[in-house]
Amino acid sequence: MSNQGPRSGYFSVLLDVEGMKCGGCVRSVEQTLLAQPNVANASVNLVSRTALVDLENPKESIDLILKALTERGFPAKRKEVTPFDKKTPAEIDATKQWWYQWRQLIIAIILLLLSVLGHLTERGTLDIPVLGALPFHASLATFALIGPGLPIIKGGAKAAWALAPSMDTLVGLGVSSAYLTSLVAFIWPTIGWPCFFNEPVMLLGFVLLGRFLEERARFQTNKAIKQLAQLQPDTARLLLKNNEIREVRVGALRPGEKLQLLAGDRIPVDGVVVKGKSAVDISSLTGEPLPLEAIPGTELTSGSLNLEASLVLEVKRVGAETALARIIGLVEEAQARKAPIQGLADRVAGRFCYGVVTLALFTFFFWWHVGTNLWPEVLNATGQGLIHGHEHGMHASLGGSAATPLGLALQLAIAVLVVACPCALGLATPTVITVASGLAARHGWLFRGGDVIEMAASLNQVVFDKTGTLTIGKPLVVGSFGTNQPNRMLQFAASLEEHSRHPLAHAILQEAQRNELPLLDSINTHTYPGRGLAGELNGVEGLIRVGKLEWLQSEGVELGDEIQTDLEKSKFLKESIVGVAQNKQFLGLLIIDDQLRKDTQIALDRLRKQGLTLNIFSGDQQRSVEHLGNQLGFSKSELGWQLLPAQKLEKLEIIKQQGTVAMVGDGINDAPALAAADLGIAIGTGTQIAQDTADLVLLGDRLEGLPDALLLAQRTMSKIKQNLIWAFGYNMIALPIAAGVLLPKFGLVLSPPIAALLMAISSITVVLNALSLRSA
């Protein structure tokens, strides 16, 4: 999957990357990518296990990049765009990985169960001699290491060899140290070392259990994309030339073919209605609660739901070109693109493992040669808090009391290795970004990345374009007065305007069509530029005039005092009022206006309550902008009118000095201003989502989605900060305790199995906190 990255000017490629376990892995992958000559930027997501790479030259092959990652221990391949009715390679791999995780879970439970039974037998609680025998514990530990523990040890060793130690490196060191020490003590009892085969078994059991729960939680974070992909059906009803209907795979459809859609069918492709009339639910893509009225000429996007009647649809775009596929692509890239706040966590995680290994070595030598001499009472003392164990013969519990300085030193060093959690640091930000991006997409809000979400959460000001943003952008007939026969007046005006290209003429014709009024043939029509039209209609006596009131009056048409009084009281501008006359007789007035979006006032009120300063920058006339501004509660200082694109940019630069600014436009005419603002926001339909200048795209016609999207961004940043505080706080508290700082005074020490459990809980907590964003 690839496209032109927003604003960057680079060519973006999305890669699937395997082998990443923690924040240190993320840092290693990024450094490997950035070291490649054709790579300008790289952003790696630990949750989705993807890397978004910006290439300077799109024509160069990415094979060297993939080779470099593979050699570093992270096999990678380009993320493929696959038809919705086929499983992607990533989905196939995910299925295999899921079964592998289940197998690991079963093994973990068995290991923990046997280890607990062994402890209970040692204490005398159970009478199962074989479970208490040292050869049994040695055999169980050996099986644990060469079975489920081998991938962890090999992965950790490979990462260490590549100078990119990971979570597997820390766990592998801890497990191997405990096992090798026990093996030496088992083979040469006279050496006097403690023997604790149970602990590697319990440690691996807790690590595998924690990874299963973490993987399960990660699966939930990517649920939104899967739900979007499921909106497209697998098959469609192809309408053949002889009106025969054949059911075919969606992937086999081609542009120009016609489909039959029954009530209740999901729309499988992007297309145009050529026959039929129905209501279509587009809420799955845009969040719009009201159904769309589908008539011939209406464009429909894949994933929408036909509600009422049969339709015939002409195929326009299929597969990866559909709006639904592009939405999913944008969401995947957004999840891969990092938030700047993640930078600190990545820098720490990249060096974290080195620091933990150093601390473990220091802890080992300190307690072996110094600590036990300073506080001899820590030996042979039954620990408190999390320390508890029992010695049975030669077999000692690593989580229990230590009889020798070496035993205590080894116990604490291993606890340091396994309690450390770079995973929590690596997951703190991407889990929340993944959940937030998916949640936003379900509502029709497309954030271009974590950096966009962070910017949206820090906004101070929002600037709106007028036409097409605050208004619907299309002049419509909104009323009439001064007439007893509104349909007759509308019929005359529409018949005369039939061949005019003026925007107001289009509004009059559209209203006549809506009222199903037949048009009369026009004769000798003449246009008076800037004033109106005059001509004769077949079957109608006299000259018909349609145009500005001043022009009608200059032609001898009298409006009457009552009409003049109504006009003075009217809230409408003169430019939006069209008069109709027959000879000198005044027939009435048509009110034409570019209507406000239905939710404009609600959206602006909510934005103001969020503490944002609002402005309108428009190229329209002063009176029009001031009229709209007064209607929506803007002061004159918050308005800008008759602004050329360059003038909009100048005003944006001025107000950017007062804080972070977002520009909201239609994504087409406002492209320069959208690109210049700190945050460009485009409002448009599914066919406009590829606007590269917009950082945030609001699908559909609901402006009220804007305050909701900004509120989601604020909640997202709040969750990220909570996760980072937890991840840093956990490690800052757990590591000193594991190193034994509380042992001399309080007798408190973390056993390696408990440390492994806490490490797993730390990662799971971060993911669950991210998932809570969906219910907030």
Side-chain angles (χ1 to χ4, degrees):
M1 180 174 294
S2 60
N3 72 293
Q4 190 78 11
R7 301 194 185 197
S8 66
Y10 298 117
F11 191 80
S12 299
V13 175
L14 195 62
L15 305 178
D16 282 319
V17 183
E18 299 175 15
M20 293 191 294
K21 297 290 194 305
C22 64
C25 299
V26 170
R27 184 73 172 174
S28 180
V29 170
E30 284 190 348
Q31 289 176 340
T32 304
L33 289 171
L34 293 173
Q36 306 310 304
N38 191 32
V39 175
N41 300 297
S43 183
V44 180
N45 188 309
L46 178 60
V47 178
S48 59
R49 295 187 174 94
T50 57
L52 183 64
V53 184
D54 292 336
L55 303 177
E56 294 177 348
N57 184 1
K59 295 181 180 179
E60 285 190 21
S61 172
I62 64 168
D63 291 344
L64 291 177
I65 297 174
L66 301 181
K67 182 181 178 182
L69 287 174
T70 302
E71 289 176 349
R72 200 70 187 266
F74 304 103
K77 57 188 174 184
R78 174 177 282 194
K79 193 172 184 66
E80 298 181 19
V81 178
T82 305
F84 289 118
D85 53 344
K86 291 184 179 180
K87 280 193 173 184
T88 65
E91 288 175 329
I92 296 172
D93 290 344
T95 303
K96 293 180 180 176
Q97 183 69 15
W98 186 241
W99 283 112
Y100 173 77
Q101 294 289 345
W102 269 105
R103 189 178 67 191
Q104 295 295 81
L105 172 66
I106 294 171
I107 294 173
I109 292 174
I110 293 173
L111 290 177
L112 289 172
L113 180 62
L114 291 174
S115 185
V116 169
L117 292 175
H119 274 296
L120 293 176
T121 301
E122 286 180 338
R123 292 183 178 184
T125 307
L126 292 179
D127 186 17
I128 310 177
V130 66
L131 294 181
L134 191 56
F136 171 79
H137 291 285
S139 302
L140 183 61
T142 302
F143 167 77
L145 261 69
I146 64 174
L150 189 59
I152 295 176
I153 295 171
K154 288 173 64 177
K158 193 172 183 179
W161 180 257
L163 299 179
S166 65
M167 190 68 235
D168 282 354
T169 306
L170 300 181
V171 174
L173 279 174
V175 171
S176 301
S177 301
Y179 177 78
L180 291 175
T181 303
S182 301
L183 189 62
V184 170
F186 178 60
I187 297 174
W188 296 288
T190 56
I191 201 171
W193 288 9
C195 186
F196 26 68
F197 284 115
N198 258 357
E199 306 313 324
V201 177
M202 291 193 70
L203 200 157
L204 278 173
F206 280 128
V207 168
L208 294 175
L209 177 61
R211 288 190 177 178
F212 173 83
L213 297 175
E214 182 183 319
E215 196 67 28
R216 178 67 180 169
R218 285 189 190 186
F219 175 79
Q220 293 294 325
T221 64
N222 273 318
K223 208 170 182 179
I225 286 184
K226 295 179 178 64
Q227 289 173 339
L228 281 174
Q230 289 169 357
L231 290 177
Q232 188 182 58
D234 295 334
T235 59
R237 293 182 182 84
L238 179 63
L239 192 60
L240 303 178
K241 291 183 179 180
N242 58 359
N243 288 330
E244 180 186 348
I245 295 174
R246 180 180 300 169
E247 192 165 285
V248 298
R249 278 193 315 106
V250 170
L253 294 174
R254 296 292 179 266
E257 294 179 329
K258 292 182 174 59
L259 307 177
Q260 182 191 55
L261 299 173
L262 302 179
D265 282 353
R266 285 274 177 196
I267 295 163
V269 295
D270 290 358
V272 177
V273 177
V274 295
K275 184 179 179 181
K277 182 178 180 181
S278 183
V280 176
D281 180 3
I282 58 175
S283 61
S284 299
L285 296 176
T286 67
E288 174 62 54
L290 297 178
L292 173 71
E293 183 182 359
I295 58 175
T298 302
E299 283 198 20
L300 299 178
T301 55
S302 56
S304 305
L305 178 64
N306 183 25
L307 296 175
E308 294 180 344
S310 296
L311 294 172
V312 175
L313 188 78
E314 181 180 341
V315 178
K316 291 295 182 183
R317 289 176 295 274
V318 297
E321 299 301 317
T322 63
L324 180 60
R326 285 183 288 159
I327 289 171
I328 292 173
L330 285 175
V331 174
E332 287 179 333
E333 291 194 9
Q335 291 176 347
R337 203 176 292 276
K338 288 184 180 180
I341 195 173
Q342 190 177 344
L344 175 61
D346 284 347
R347 287 193 295 273
V348 172
R351 300 170 178 83
F352 186 80
C353 293
Y354 292 108
V356 171
V357 173
T358 301
L359 178 61
L361 289 173
F362 173 81
T363 300
F364 177 77
F365 287 108
F366 175 82
W367 286 105
W368 186 16
H369 293 294
V370 180
T372 49
N373 292 325
L374 293 176
W375 303 286
E377 66 275 10
V378 299
L379 296 175
N380 299 317
T382 302
Q384 300 173 17
L386 296 178
I387 177 172
H388 187 76
H390 180 73
E391 241 179 292
H392 184 75
M394 285 197 316
H395 189 230
S397 169
L398 193 56
S401 55
T404 65
L406 178 62
L408 179 63
L410 192 60
Q411 171 181 337
L412 297 178
I414 294 174
V416 168
L417 288 171
V418 297
V419 80
C421 193
C423 291
L425 287 171
L427 292 170
T429 301
T431 49
V432 184
I433 294 297
T434 300
V435 173
S437 300
L439 185 62
R442 288 171 57 188
H443 288 86
W445 318 324
L446 301 182
F447 288 98
R448 293 276 184 164
D451 51 342
V452 175
I453 294 176
E454 184 170 345
M455 182 64 72
S458 63
L459 286 179
N460 305 112
Q461 304 175 81
V462 181
V463 178
F464 291 91
D465 177 53
K466 171 182 170 287
T467 306
T469 302
L470 297 175
T471 66
I472 60 176
K474 297 177 182 177
L476 297 174
V477 175
V478 296
S480 61
F481 64 90
T483 178
N484 294 324
Q485 296 179 301
N487 283 347
R488 177 170 172 265
M489 175 188 66
L490 179 61
Q491 184 186 38
F492 287 178
S495 300
L496 204 61
E497 297 275 15
E498 183 179 8
H499 301 294
S500 173
R501 294 186 177 181
H502 195 281
L504 298 186
H506 179 74
I508 293 172
L509 285 165
Q510 190 176 19
E511 183 66 11
Q513 185 180 19
R514 192 180 70 83
N515 286 276
E516 299 180 349
L517 299 176
L519 299 182
L520 307 175
D521 294 332
S522 58
I523 307 169
N524 298 326
T525 303
H526 184 70
T527 300
Y528 297 86
R531 290 175 287 177
L533 286 172
E536 297 177 0
L537 297 176
N538 190 22
V540 178
E541 294 184 3
L543 185 69
I544 305 298
R545 293 183 178 87
V546 180
K548 291 184 177 180
L549 295 182
E550 293 88 346
W551 175 61
L552 293 181
Q553 288 175 310
S554 69
E555 294 292 321
V557 178
E558 294 186 3
L559 302 184
D561 293 339
E562 185 177 346
I563 297 296
Q564 292 284 12
T565 303
D566 289 343
L567 279 174
E568 291 174 2
K569 294 179 180 179
S570 172
K571 64 179 180 178
F572 296 104
L573 301 173
K574 288 185 178 179
E575 287 82 359
S576 64
I577 296 177
V578 175
V580 183
Q582 184 177 11
N583 288 328
K584 304 294 182 182
Q585 180 186 1
F586 177 69
L587 296 182
L589 300 174
L590 291 172
I591 310 301
I592 301 175
D593 200 10
D594 183 8
Q595 287 185 300
L596 285 173
R597 296 180 186 270
K598 293 180 181 179
D599 57 352
T600 294
Q601 188 67 64
I602 298 173
L604 296 181
D605 289 343
R606 291 185 58 194
L607 289 171
R608 289 187 177 110
K609 287 181 180 178
Q610 291 179 17
L612 295 169
T613 301
L614 308 183
N615 296 270
I616 298 177
F617 289 174
S618 176
D620 293 358
Q621 297 293 319
Q622 178 177 350
R623 290 183 60 196
S624 175
V625 176
E626 285 184 338
H627 176 73
L628 181 73
N630 291 333
Q631 191 177 350
L632 296 175
F634 286 86
S635 64
K636 195 169 183 178
S637 63
E638 295 172 331
L639 303 176
W641 51 81
Q642 292 178 274
L643 298 176
L644 297 174
Q647 293 173 315
K648 280 188 180 182
L649 295 182
E650 290 176 6
K651 290 184 72 70
L652 272 175
E653 291 300 326
I654 292 172
I655 66 171
K656 279 171 71 174
Q657 298 174 8
Q658 304 167 14
T660 311
V661 180
M663 176 71 196
V664 187
D666 60 11
I668 301 173
N669 299 326
D670 303 305
L674 290 174
D678 295 309
L679 184 72
I681 304 174
I683 299 178
T685 62
T687 58
Q688 297 170 326
I689 64 172
Q691 292 299 322
D692 288 337
T693 49
D695 302 301
L696 167 60
V697 180
L698 305 177
L699 301 180
D701 294 320
R702 293 180 65 245
L703 192 61
E704 197 176 356
L706 177 56
D708 288 330
L710 297 184
L711 188 60
L712 174 63
Q714 293 168 6
R715 286 168 41 212
T716 299
M717 293 310 299
S718 177
K719 289 291 182 185
I720 288 175
K721 290 173 183 175
Q722 290 171 15
N723 276 357
L724 288 174
I725 290 171
W726 166 258
F728 280 109
Y730 163 82
N731 284 291
M732 291 178 67
I733 294 172
L735 282 171
I737 294 176
V741 295
L742 300 180
L743 180 57
K745 188 172 182 179
F746 300 100
L748 183 65
V749 64
L750 291 180
S751 70
I754 296 299
L757 181 61
L758 289 177
M759 179 267 291
I761 291 173
S762 176
S763 296
I764 295 166
T765 301
V766 164
V767 180
L768 292 179
N769 188 47
L771 288 171
S772 69
L773 190 65
R774 298 198 303 204
S775 58

